[in-house]
């Protein structure tokens, strides 16, 4: 049978939060299943093959980062972290392990819902395996086939590295990428500690693409963690 509702598994040891998510997401048309330990969550994910996973890091039996690593061994399903851990290093560790997004508690349900939708859209595009020749967000248009970039229908020239950086952000549009992830994809593994390269080129991209580089609309900073291209 074809699934009529996207399936979400919530791995969370706080029963009140699980109940809140079950009720709220259920009202939005999602089928929600729950687990209160990491091991049970991994079993549920393997059995149900969900469309998306919401994961707490502070689980009673194992760290949430280990859950991410276990699931990434066999699945690319979107994983959104929902955790009280708010330090930059916790976010970086989770994202580097393979999480797609990170929200800290307390959280707004509307924001969580928006990020779920972005993650599902991104996952759907990947599953279709159909190359997208043109990427459009706000007033930015990128013709990936012909390597043409325009803002408000005005062509913008980018250097090779600037275009490579933009292409990586487009590839993962809507997803938080850590500094290390971007550096590895754009410059290579030996440059993962050279965050100043990334800051310089991101500033250059904003100068060329954003109407107000100081208040970017789509090249967004995740403070201390990395960047996100708003889809």
């Amino acid at each position: 049978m074809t699934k009529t509702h996207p399936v979400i598994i919530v791995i969370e040891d706080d029963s009140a939060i699980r109940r809140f998510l079950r009720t709220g997401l259920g009202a939005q048309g999602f089928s929600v299943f729950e687990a209160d330990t990491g091991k049970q969550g991994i079993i549920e994910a393997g059995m149900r093959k969900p469309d998306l996973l919401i994961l707490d890091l502070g689980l009673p039996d194992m760290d949430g980062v280990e859950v991410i690593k276990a699931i990434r061994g066999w699945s690319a399903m979107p994983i959104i972290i929902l955790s009280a851990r708010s330090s930059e290093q916790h976010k970086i560790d989770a994202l580097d392990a393979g999480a797609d997004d990170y929200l800290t508690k307390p959280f707004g349900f509307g924001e969580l819902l928006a990020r779920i939708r972005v993650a599902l859209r991104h996952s759907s595009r990947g599953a279709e395996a159909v190359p997208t020749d043109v990427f459009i967000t706000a007033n930015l248009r990128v013709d990936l086939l012909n390597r043409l970039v325009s803002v408000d229908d005005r062509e913008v020239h980018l250097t090779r590295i600037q275009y490579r950086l933009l292409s990586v952000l487009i590839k993962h549009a809507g997803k938080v990428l850590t500094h290390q992830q971007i550096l590895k994809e754009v410059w290579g593994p030996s440059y993962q500690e050279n965050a100043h390269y990334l800051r310089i080129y991101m500033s250059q991209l904003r100068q060329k693409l954003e109407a107000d580089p100081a208040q970017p609309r789509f090249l967004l900073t995740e403070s201390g963690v990395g960047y996100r291209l708003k889809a």
Side-chain angles (χ1 to χ4, degrees), residues 84-112:
R85 299 179 186 175
S86 58
S87 76
E88 293 172 358
Q89 192 57 53
H90 282 131
K91 294 179 182 179
I92 290 169
D93 290 345
L95 293 164
D96 279 344
D100 294 86
D101 210 339
Y102 196 118
L103 267 72
T104 54
K105 302 172 182 174
F107 62 95
F109 182 73
E111 182 179 6
L112 173 61

Side-chain angles (χ1 to χ4, degrees), residues 143-161:
D143 182 337
L144 297 165
L145 187 63
N146 297 300
R147 298 172 66 92
L148 295 175
V149 180
S150 60
V151 176
D152 292 327
D153 297 322
R154 175 181 54 84
E155 187 174 343
V156 177
H157 173 72
L158 299 182
T159 67
R160 182 179 62 85
I161 294 295

Side-chain angles (χ1 to χ4, degrees), residues 201-218:
Y201 277 92
M202 183 59 72
S203 175
Q204 293 173 352
L205 265 187
R206 285 173 170 161
Q207 289 291 334
K208 290 186 175 183
L209 303 181
E210 296 279 6
D212 181 0
Q215 299 290 331
R217 295 177 61 192
F218 42 84

Side-chain angles (χ1 to χ4, degrees), residues 19-105:
R19 184 168 58 252
F20 172 74
L21 292 175
R22 181 177 67 245
T23 302
L25 293 173
Q28 295 295 321
F30 296 100
S31 295
V32 181
F33 298 91
E34 307 167 32
D36 59 3
T37 67
K39 291 180 181 178
Q40 184 59 38
I42 293 170
I43 292 171
E44 286 284 325
M47 289 174 51
R48 300 189 185 278
K49 300 296 189 295
D51 297 283
L52 182 138
L53 200 68
I54 295 175
L55 172 66
D56 183 21
L57 294 180
L59 299 168
D61 61 333
M62 61 192 298
D63 192 274
V65 170
E66 296 305 314
V67 176
I68 299 170
K69 292 177 180 178
I71 289 174
R72 282 292 173 255
W74 55 269
S75 175
M77 73 177 73
I79 299 175
I80 296 179
I81 302 302
L82 193 59
S83 176
R85 299 179 186 175
S86 58
S87 76
E88 293 172 358
Q89 192 57 53
H90 282 131
K91 294 179 182 179
I92 290 169
D93 290 345
L95 293 164
D96 279 344
D100 294 86
D101 210 339
Y102 196 118
L103 267 72
T104 54
K105 302 172 182 174

Side-chain angles (χ1 to χ4, degrees), residues 90-140:
H90 282 131
K91 294 179 182 179
I92 290 169
D93 290 345
L95 293 164
D96 279 344
D100 294 86
D101 210 339
Y102 196 118
L103 267 72
T104 54
K105 302 172 182 174
F107 62 95
F109 182 73
E111 182 179 6
L112 173 61
L113 193 60
R115 296 199 185 197
I116 287 172
R117 288 169 174 157
V118 168
L120 290 175
R121 285 198 301 270
H122 186 264
S123 176
S124 176
R125 286 198 299 268
E128 291 168 1
V130 176
T132 301
D133 293 338
V134 178
F135 175 85
I136 299 173
T137 183
N139 59 338
L140 170 68

Side-chain angles (χ1 to χ4, degrees), residues 162-219:
Q162 290 169 353
Y163 183 81
R164 175 65 179 155
L165 173 57
L166 180 60
S167 297
V168 168
L169 292 168
I170 289 173
K171 177 183 174 183
H172 302 283
K175 178 178 178 179
V176 179
L177 294 177
T178 66
H179 298 119
Q180 289 80 7
Q181 288 171 326
I182 300 173
L183 286 163
K184 182 178 179 181
E185 287 204 45
V186 177
W187 284 274
S190 61
Y191 287 83
Q192 284 182 266
E193 301 305 318
N194 297 79
H196 62 284
Y197 281 14
L198 181 53
R199 287 193 294 271
I200 291 169
Y201 277 92
M202 183 59 72
S203 175
Q204 293 173 352
L205 265 187
R206 285 173 170 161
Q207 289 291 334
K208 290 186 175 183
L209 303 181
E210 296 279 6
D212 181 0
Q215 299 290 331
R217 295 177 61 192
F218 42 84
L219 294 171

